[in-house]
Amino acid sequence: MKRRAFLIAGAGAAALLGLDLALTLRRPTSPALMTGVVWQLHAGALDPRGDWDLLGARSLLLQWMVADGTAFVPGLGLPLIANAPNWQRIAREPWARSIIAGLAGSFNEPTARRNVAELAALSARIAAKPLPFEAAGFYFPVEADPTWSGVADLGRLLAPIARPLWVSAYDNSNVGPGAMADWVSSWLPADVGLFFQDGVGIHTRTPEAARAYATALSERLGAHRFKLIAEAFRPAPGGSFRAATAAELRPQLQMYAGFDVFVFDGPHYLDRVMVQDLLAG
């Protein structure tokens, strides 16, 4: 073999070796600590970047594509936020191989619940629009809990929205796993899935108690209709929140082994340093 051909072949082999090494380094930890990440879009969080795939994330849940009348995705017939996300880049990320697209919501929960009928109608319209990425499903971002009397109307309001469809619920009242499963079953349509917020971030319950909720809900709804949201934040002085430490988050995620776990939220609370800390553990 001539020297030039040898060098080219050697460079090609080195490139393949480098690519293989890069792919190996980006494989998730075993066992994976999460299935996906949640991204709560707002004006200060429009360019999500992270290494969540190293922890097992392959799915991205968008909190919403429209919030309070402002669109984060072009082509929805609503005013588009300035410096909108680069959806082509995001859709190529290894942690966004599957995107569940949140529909129309509000930053304020009481406002969202008060306007739930209008938000559901808008959500049905935008779910039918072409998107700059392929949606694996949709999410209606008006969150439910047992104190919400209007939840009884949700099944009817969700009927026109495209499937697959998901909603979320939480329990700050600590009604208990069985009662929570009974309550969810009383209003959730049979063809809609549930994201359950674990409540650990605000110390409503321990990870062990959250797993008991997850078990009850998954058994009642079926595993294919259930996903668990792990809150990656903790209370901070002054009524704000901070990112959980690796020592706090690791046992929380390990406790949820066997469930589809989405971390809330990746761009805000789970940076690359935290990912490395979790991998090191």
Side-chain angles (χ1 to χ4, degrees):
M1 181 182 291
K2 293 183 178 179
R3 183 173 182 274
R4 178 177 174 82
F6 178 80
L7 289 174
I8 292 173
L16 289 174
L17 179 62
L19 176 60
D20 182 68
L21 179 60
L23 291 175
T24 299
L25 291 175
R26 293 202 70 81
R27 286 173 187 160
T29 185
S30 183
L33 290 176
M34 63 183 66
T35 305
V37 291
V38 186
W39 173 23
Q40 188 176 72
L41 296 86
H42 58 79
L46 297 174
D47 188 31
R49 295 179 185 272
D51 292 333
W52 308 299
D53 55 298
L54 299 182
L55 300 173
R58 293 293 182 271
S59 297
L60 174 65
L61 171 61
L62 305 179
Q63 180 78 15
W64 39 53
M65 293 188 291
V66 174
D68 294 325
T70 296
F72 296 91
V73 173
L76 301 184
L78 294 164
L80 181 65
I81 195 165
N83 301 312
N86 182 342
W87 292 107
Q88 287 72 29
R89 192 271 300 173
I90 291 167
R92 291 194 300 267
E93 294 285 357
W95 39 263
R97 294 179 183 178
S98 172
I99 299 177
I100 300 175
L103 297 168
S106 172
F107 290 105
N108 181 270
E109 183 175 274
T111 299
R113 290 182 175 183
R114 190 164 53 248
N115 298 325
V116 64
E118 291 82 357
L119 291 172
L122 177 56
S123 291
R125 292 196 297 274
I126 66 177
K129 300 277 189 180
L131 300 175
F133 54 84
E134 182 177 353
F138 298 99
Y139 166 69
F140 182 61
V142 179
E143 300 170 357
D145 83 306
T147 69
W148 184 24
S149 60
V151 77
D153 296 326
L154 204 52
R156 171 181 57 83
L157 296 174
L158 295 176
I161 302 177
R163 269 53 171 176
L165 181 63
W166 298 83
V167 297
S168 69
Y170 62 91
D171 176 25
N172 288 350
S173 305
N174 275 322
V175 300
M180 187 70 179
D182 290 341
W183 174 74
V184 168
S185 298
S186 72
W187 57 266
L188 186 67
D191 62 347
V192 177
L194 179 77
F195 281 90
F196 176 68
Q197 302 169 34
D198 69 352
V200 173
I202 56 174
H203 299 318
T204 299
R205 62 185 55 86
T206 64
E208 292 82 1
R211 184 177 179 91
Y213 271 77
T215 299
L217 288 163
S218 180
E219 289 178 351
R220 183 68 60 88
L221 301 177
H224 66 290
R225 293 176 60 206
F226 179 77
K227 299 183 188 298
L228 182 60
I229 292 179
E231 296 169 346
F233 55 85
R234 296 295 186 269
S240 61
F241 293 97
R242 62 169 175 82
T245 65
E248 292 169 328
L249 187 58
R250 186 182 300 109
Q252 180 183 352
L253 296 177
Q254 291 171 334
M255 178 58 60
Y256 302 153
F259 292 104
D260 281 346
V261 178
F262 282 64
V263 170
F264 184 94
D265 97 342
H268 290 91
Y269 299 116
L270 195 56
D271 63 17
R272 287 187 161 104
V273 173
M274 171 69 82
V275 168
Q276 290 304 315
D277 288 345
L278 289 170
L279 289 170

